[in-house]
Each structure stands twice: as C-alpha cells, then as structure tokens.
Amino acid sequence: MSLLSRALSFFTVVILRSIFLYGYSELRKGTILLSLMHLTIVLTYGLKYGPSLLAYTAPISILYLVLGMYGLLIYSLAVSSIPGLWMSLTQLIMDVLKGMLNPLNYISIYVKSTLTSLAILYVLHTLNPSELSTLLYRARKSLGMYPQLFMRINSFLIKEGIEAIYTHSLKGESVWKTLAILMLRGDELTRGFSEGLMPKYMRFKPSLIYSARTIWIQLLILGYDIILVLLITTSWIPQYL
Amino acid sequence: MKELLRVEGLKVFAGGEALVRLKSLRVDDGEIVLITGPSGSGKTSLLRCLVGVHELAGLNYSGIISLGVDRSELSYIPQEPWYGLITPYPILELMGFSGLSEGSIRAYAEALNVGHVLESNSIDLSAGEIQRILFLEALLSESRLILMDEVTAYLDEGSRNQLVSVIEGLRSNYGISFMVVDHDIDLWKDCVDKVVYVSGGEAVTYSNVDDLPTTGLTSKVMEEVRALASEVRNYSNGELLLKAINVWFKYPDSRDYVIKGVDLELSGGDLLIIQGPSGKGKSTLLKIISGIHKPSRGKILRYYKYLQYVPENPLIYLSEPTPRDELRGDLEIAKEAYLSHVLDTPITRLSSGERRRLAIASAITRGADLVVLDEPSVGLDPENLVRVLRLLTKAISRGVGLIVATHSRLLTYIGSKIITL
C-alpha cells in the first residue's frame, strides 16, 4: 500500500469515526435547540474571552467520558486539530517572514480553533435525526426524509471510499484513479439509493425519540454555560482572561 | 382470490434492445411466486419493471403491468440490500416506515434475530442483517405484496429456512403475497405456487417446480462439485502464507468482541472456508486478514507476497470501465468466467452475478499468492457457481491460497479447511 493511499485512508477513517463512530447513542437523543444554544454561547463568549474556551469544553469532554465514548472524543480532537494547526502554522509562517515571533500567540490560535471546532462537532454528535426529520416533516412532508438520508449516504460513501482505496491499492491502482472512480460511482450510488427509496418514500413518517436523561444533561451543560457567562461578564474574572 | 398483480405481453428493453419477454402472469393474494434462471438473464430487470423503478436502471418496457393493490401496500427489497436501508439507524427506519412504537418493533426484531442491531450504525450492519431488517420493515408496514430480490443470498442456512417458514406462515395466516428472485430452487420448492423461469430472453411461468428445465441439473452440479472437492484437497503445498494467532477484534464503539480468539493457518494451495451465521464477523475477519483492520489482540503473521481482496460488494473492487479492461484483455479467463458476451458492457450495467464473476476473475489474474473473497457465490446460479469453483480450483492448483467467507453449501463442500465463527 503506497504512503499516499495509507495517509488518505487514515484521514478518511478519522473523519468517518469523528462523526459516525457510534450507533444511535444516548448523546443523539437530546434536543438540537439546547446544543445550538451551547454553541452560540461558546462562539459569542468563548471566542471573546479566549481561555474561557477551556472551561466551556470541560463539561463536554466529561460527558463523552461519562458516556464511555472516549473514541469519539479522541477522533474529534484529531479532526478539530486540523483547522487549529493550519491557522497557527499560517500565522507562524507570516511572522517568520515579518521577522517577529510570538510563540504564545500560536498556541492561543491553535487552542481557540481546535476547541471551537470541537464545539461544532459536539453539535453534530448531538444532532437528533428523529427530531430534525420531524421538524422538517412538519414544515413540508417531503422534506422529512432528507436529514436521515443525508446521514446514511454520507457515512456509506465514506465507508465504501475507505474500502475502495485499500482494495485498489492492493491491485496497484493509483490513489488518483481510485478517487476518480469514486466520483464516477456517485452516480451508481444515487441510482441504488433511489431504487431503494422510491417504492416506499410515501410511507415515511418520522417518529420522535428522546431520552429524558440526555435532555437533563444538556440542560445542566447550558446552566453551567450561563453561570460562566455571568461570571465572565459581571465579575473581575475577565481582566485575567 | 383477489388479484394483486397482472402482467400481459410484457417486453423489457435495455438501451433499446429486448432483454426479456413475459407472456402473462397473475399473482393472487396469499401466493408465493419464485423467479429464477441463470445470472444475467434479466430476473432483476423484470422485478424492477414490476416495482416501477425500471427507469433508474435505464430500462423500458411495453405491455401491461396492472396492480391490484395500492402502491403503498407494495414493498421491495433490492438485490443490493444496503441500498434499501435509507436511514442511519435501523430503529429509525422501522419506526419511520411502520409507524409502530419502539417497544413493539423491538419484540418483532428479536424474533428475526436483529434486535441487537436496532441502534447500530447502518454502515456497521452485515448484508444479511440488512436483508432481515428490510424484510421486517415490509411486514410491519402492512404490505400485501412483497417483492424480494435474492433475499436469502447473504443468509446462513438456519436464517434462510427460518425466513421461508415465516413467509409460509404469513401467506397462510394473513394472505400476504411474495415474489422472490432466488437461485435456490430447493429452498422454495415446497411452498411456491408458481415459478417464472427466465432464460434466453424468455420468461416462462410454470405451476410445478418439477417441470422446470433445470431439473436434473442439481445432480450434475453435485457430481462436478464432488470431483472438484477431491481435486482441491490434493493441492496444498505446505508453504505457509498466513498465520493468525489468537486474534481478537472489536470495533472502537463496541464493548463486545466480534472476533474472539481465532487461530488459523493457510498454506499455498489451501482453500479455507469461513462460515457462520450472518453478523458473526466473517467479513470483519476477512478485513483483518487483508490488513484493513488491525486486530485488537493477537497476531497475524504474513508470509505472502501479494494479496487481493474482493469485498462483499464487488463493485468496490472493480477499477476499470469494462470487463475487457478489468481483465486486461485476458480472453481465456473471460471465457472461463462466462463473461465473453459482456466484455464491452459498462461495468455499471452488468448484473450482480456478472460483476461478482468479473471481480473474482480479475483478482485471480493479478498474480497474487493469497486471494481473499467475501461471499463469492451471491447472485450466481448453480451453473455459474460451478464455473467460479472451477476458476478457484485452477488458481489453487497453481499454489494460490484462498480464504473465502460464504454461506454457500457447494463452496463449503470443496473447502480444504473450514472455520466456523
């Protein structure tokens, strides 16, 4: 297996696992609204008061650990590090060209980008497909199917892609050729899922699945977020942040 | 008896060329109709026209297809079952299409041995598990006519027999009708009311399985399989290609090991069969052997030079636009795999059986000393399966080691070593 195939395969596996590692986990049985409220607070206050991002991330990390989803946290951190590394290295190169280096600044950029990406991934991990489908179904009947179909096709495509990269590399095919084939096979995939979906899509009516425990956890996280906001905006803490 | 489906003077066309013709067929409530025939003869195309998804496959038809039920009372399980599952988790699929509660779905799923995968990610399900989920979905959505393409292809013998007896019970007790595409005539012969035999562009309806032109073929096939089996057992050359020592594996999101302490040894000229119920980790073990997954515990010692791996979906293996290119102009092997007539047909227009034969033939011609095949018998009629067995035997005679995960009795019969998961 060539180095390029290996790297691409590894990268694809990490992306697949960072989003689709677990089944219909407890994390996905909450409500989207509470996750979005958490993200809004992180983007508004976390980015404004840099180091507080660590405080906003702590309960999320604990949640993954409590639910036994260590794998998801590790893969998510790996994926979240990509934009962090990209941005801090870009800044480093620019500073080298200017002739002035500030190591603390690069660490700060890296941490901010990584933790913000992690907060976005947390929203993706807590997307409840049954809730999203129900909301869209209520807006327009035919839309209800799409969120679930989107999740299904994307995970399927990435999984098939990993297998194709590996299988073709054993055949001695170049990675570029495999990627081109995967693009062309998108048509086959669309046809296949259309064939499966067409005879039954009229019957689809999404059902809601919630877990009271998950919603309680989301509320606790939101409560913690609000307390942090109050502390940051009303007390002496900001001057140290 | 209420008529659920009537076909009159049907002609199916693919790219303007006539593919198959069916003079007439009537399906009443409570009937089971088997559609069978050689692979590539047009069984799936016929079914696609009946379901109304023919245009997606570039098919057209003339004649009358009249449905006596509402479209919402018709269910279809496609040949490649993974395309039939359209939600990320089976529980959402079953709830979304049946309207039933989680609790009652769980009870039905347990009865079909898929209760434990309801909340799994759909990409982690085996093809056999997906087929059972789709079958359950068809039943729970109160379908009156269920059309199933190779629905037993990925099931082990126990699950196949269970499915057939469930279908018999449903037909007798609830009057549900089934149209089944399958190569395994023996499996269905005691419960079918009609058989449509598709071959040479003609689909002929028989009311008795014994009248089929394939009768007598089974003993001929068995005779050849026996001969191949005794041949295969002489080819082991003792040169070690692969050794697995106490291999354990679990997926990162799972607490349970799917592979538990597997030991195996394979030498050149060996044909190792991996068998076991669907969902027990056969494909996973093949992926570990091929290097796609790393064992969680244990060791794999590799002594081979080149390995080829053909996954469950053969389309993933193929990397050229036509069989001629894929086989790199090797007309001899194309003939042996019965692909000479489709050498210039685009791969996406080949039947499932043709794709599989092509992938196997291609893997064998690439000079690998170890070839790993996942379910190589799916979509193949007995004659084509024997062709594949001949191809495999020829490769083994050259010292190639083969590892095959299969539910096929014939393939298992010729194996020189067998592992049951």
Side-chain angles (χ1 to χ4, degrees):
Chain A
M1 196 176 186
S2 74
L3 192 66
L4 188 59
S5 303
R6 213 177 278 270
L8 191 66
S9 197
F10 173 77
F11 187 65
T12 323
V13 167
V14 171
I15 290 182
L16 175 77
R17 290 186 176 163
S18 70
I19 305 170
F20 301 109
L21 182 58
Y22 288 86
Y24 199 21
S25 67
E26 191 149 4
L27 209 55
R28 287 212 184 275
K29 292 177 183 168
T31 172
I32 300 158
L33 181 70
L34 294 175
S35 295
L36 285 175
M37 284 167 79
H38 166 75
L39 182 67
T40 310
I41 292 176
V42 171
L43 293 178
T44 314
Y45 294 96
L47 283 177
K48 197 171 172 188
Y49 306 103
S52 70
L53 264 176
L54 285 169
Y56 286 114
T57 309
I60 305 302
S61 308
I62 292 167
L63 178 63
Y64 284 114
L65 298 178
V66 167
L67 293 177
M69 300 166 89
Y70 323 99
L72 198 58
L73 182 62
I74 292 165
Y75 284 112
S76 303
L77 276 169
V79 168
S80 306
S81 290
I82 298 169
L85 277 172
W86 176 264
M87 290 166 110
S88 55
L89 287 176
T90 312
Q91 187 63 46
L92 173 71
I93 293 166
M94 284 171 69
D95 286 357
V96 167
L97 291 175
K98 282 184 206 162
M100 46 178 213
L101 292 174
N102 182 355
L104 271 180
N105 190 29
Y106 314 131
I107 293 170
S108 160
I109 291 172
Y110 172 76
V111 171
K112 270 188 179 178
S113 318
T114 302
L115 297 185
T116 310
S117 307
L118 193 65
I120 293 168
L121 274 178
Y122 166 74
V123 175
L124 289 181
H125 296 155
T126 51
L127 269 187
N128 183 340
S130 75
E131 187 186 46
L132 203 56
S133 274
T134 307
L135 287 173
L136 288 171
Y137 185 83
R138 281 183 190 155
R140 195 171 163 193
K141 207 175 161 185
S142 60
L143 294 178
M145 186 79 260
Y146 291 112
Q148 301 198 22
L149 190 60
F150 181 79
M151 282 177 81
R152 166 75 177 137
I153 291 180
N154 276 292
S155 52
F156 183 84
L157 191 65
I158 299 174
K159 192 201 167 209
E160 294 254 301
I162 294 166
E163 240 175 85
I165 291 168
Y166 197 87
T167 309
H168 289 185
S169 80
L170 288 173
K171 282 174 85 177
E173 304 288 15
S174 78
V175 177
W176 305 113
K177 188 175 174 186
T178 303
L179 289 177
I181 292 164
L182 283 173
M183 296 288 175
L184 292 173
R185 294 277 159 82
D187 183 46
E188 172 78 6
L189 198 79
T190 312
R191 191 197 59 72
F193 276 108
S194 303
E195 187 178 327
L197 176 63
M198 260 178 71
K200 63 182 184 182
Y201 78 96
M202 288 299 285
R203 284 204 298 263
F204 184 74
K205 193 175 178 224
S207 309
L208 277 169
I209 300 180
Y210 284 125
S211 153
R213 187 176 164 222
T214 311
I215 292 175
W216 268 112
I217 292 172
Q218 285 184 302
L219 283 169
L220 279 174
I221 291 173
L222 194 65
Y224 169 85
D225 291 344
I226 291 168
I227 291 170
L228 265 182
V229 169
L230 291 174
L231 282 173
I232 289 167
T233 52
T234 60
S235 74
W236 46 269
I237 293 177
Q239 56 187 301
Y240 297 102
L241 298 176
Chain B
M1 288 278 229
K2 194 191 170 214
E3 180 187 276
L4 300 188
L5 175 75
R6 184 169 55 88
V7 179
E8 294 287 347
L10 180 71
K11 269 187 189 172
V12 182
F13 302 91
E17 278 179 40
L19 189 69
V20 63
R21 200 169 61 172
L22 174 63
K23 220 172 172 183
S24 76
L25 175 72
R26 181 188 153 125
V27 183
D28 291 332
D29 53 359
E31 278 194 331
I32 301 174
V33 178
L34 174 68
I35 303 174
T36 192
S39 62
S41 58
K43 302 181 296 296
T44 297
S45 301
L46 186 64
L47 207 63
R48 280 174 173 152
C49 290
L50 300 180
V51 177
V53 294
H54 52 283
E55 283 176 5
L56 291 168
L59 299 167
N60 225 321
Y61 74 84
S62 65
I64 299 167
I65 297 175
S66 163
L67 272 178
V69 288
D70 192 81
R71 283 256 164 219
S72 64
E73 293 174 306
L74 181 147
S75 279
Y76 170 57
I77 303 177
Q79 189 174 33
E80 281 137 343
W82 40 86
Y83 291 134
L85 194 59
I86 49 168
T87 63
Y89 311 105
I91 185 72
L92 294 180
E93 181 94 8
L94 292 170
M95 287 175 76
F97 287 102
S98 71
L100 292 179
S101 70
E102 202 177 334
S104 38
I105 283 172
R106 214 163 275 281
Y108 289 115
E110 294 293 347
L112 279 179
N113 303 326
V114 284
H116 62 292
V117 297
L118 285 179
E119 295 196 327
S120 300
N121 199 320
S122 297
I123 55 169
D124 294 331
L125 266 54
S126 74
E129 286 166 340
I130 296 177
Q131 281 182 321
R132 278 175 284 163
I133 294 279
L134 294 179
F135 179 69
L136 185 59
E137 181 192 316
L139 297 183
L140 297 181
S141 56
E142 296 181 352
S143 300
R144 293 182 58 204
L145 176 60
I146 302 175
L147 297 96
M148 309 186 288
D149 201 348
E150 306 246 10
V151 76
T152 61
Y154 294 97
L155 301 183
D156 57 281
E157 205 161 338
S159 301
R160 273 182 211 172
N161 292 330
Q162 186 199 22
L163 187 82
V164 173
S165 65
V166 168
I167 285 175
E168 265 207 280
L170 291 164
R171 165 265 279 284
S172 317
N173 299 328
Y174 301 100
I176 300 172
S177 301
F178 296 88
M179 289 189 80
V180 189
V181 171
D182 206 331
H183 292 294
D184 194 345
I185 300 168
D186 284 344
L187 181 72
W188 297 96
K189 72 175 179 191
D190 293 331
C191 64
V192 291
D193 298 288
K194 285 168 193 158
V195 185
V196 178
Y197 185 74
V198 188
S199 179
E202 286 286 337
V204 182
T205 308
Y206 296 86
S207 52
N208 194 336
V209 174
D210 296 329
D211 297 337
L212 285 176
T214 53
T215 313
L217 193 71
T218 324
S219 55
K220 203 176 134 196
V221 166
M222 267 323 289
E223 210 174 292
E224 184 149 8
V225 170
R226 271 190 212 109
L228 289 172
S230 59
E231 216 179 302
V232 163
R233 278 159 205 153
N234 297 325
Y235 289 134
S236 182
N237 61 19
E239 279 177 37
L240 199 59
L241 293 177
L242 184 114
K243 190 173 181 176
I245 306 163
N246 192 26
V247 169
W248 292 68
F249 181 82
K250 68 173 177 180
Y251 285 99
D253 58 344
S254 175
R255 283 179 190 165
D256 304 320
Y257 283 91
V258 61
I259 302 292
K260 296 168 189 167
V262 169
D263 291 294
L264 65 87
E265 230 180 74
L266 186 93
S267 301
D270 277 348
L271 169 56
L272 172 71
I273 301 290
I274 300 171
Q275 61 173 17
S278 64
K280 286 288 175 193
K282 296 185 296 297
S283 299
T284 306
L285 183 57
L286 292 191
K287 285 176 189 170
I288 295 169
I289 289 168
S290 308
I292 296 178
H293 295 326
K294 284 190 180 135
S296 310
R297 277 200 266 157
K299 260 195 279 188
I300 302 247
L301 305 173
R302 301 169 194 277
Y303 305 103
Y304 58 81
K305 280 186 196 139
Y306 302 109
L307 177 144
Q308 289 292 292
Y309 164 64
V310 180
E312 207 168 41
N313 178 3
L315 199 60
I316 293 175
Y317 179 85
L318 304 172
S319 54
E320 299 292 343
T322 63
R324 188 186 295 278
D325 298 327
E326 182 67 37
L327 296 174
R328 296 178 293 182
D330 189 338
L331 298 180
E332 187 58 35
I333 197 143
K335 199 175 156 196
E336 286 169 354
Y338 193 50
L339 292 165
S340 307
H341 60 296
V342 290
L343 273 178
D344 297 309
T345 306
I347 273 164
T348 48
R349 283 184 56 191
L350 296 179
S351 77
S352 165
E354 286 162 347
R355 283 176 190 178
R356 204 165 292 273
R357 295 202 304 275
L358 176 61
I360 294 166
S362 174
I364 282 170
T365 55
R366 284 172 195 264
D369 44 356
L370 177 58
V371 178
V372 177
L373 305 171
D374 199 353
E375 299 284 4
S377 64
V378 169
L380 301 181
D381 58 286
E383 272 184 283
N384 274 309
L385 180 54
V386 168
R387 284 188 182 108
V388 166
L389 296 184
R390 275 191 221 125
L391 271 181
L392 300 183
T393 308
K394 204 172 165 187
I396 291 166
S397 71
R398 295 197 309 263
V400 174
L402 284 174
I403 302 180
V404 176
T406 185
H407 292 302
S408 160
R409 277 164 288 179
L410 295 183
L411 246 167
T412 307
Y413 190 81
I414 74 160
S416 50
K417 288 179 174 176
I418 296 174
I419 284 184
T420 306
L421 294 181

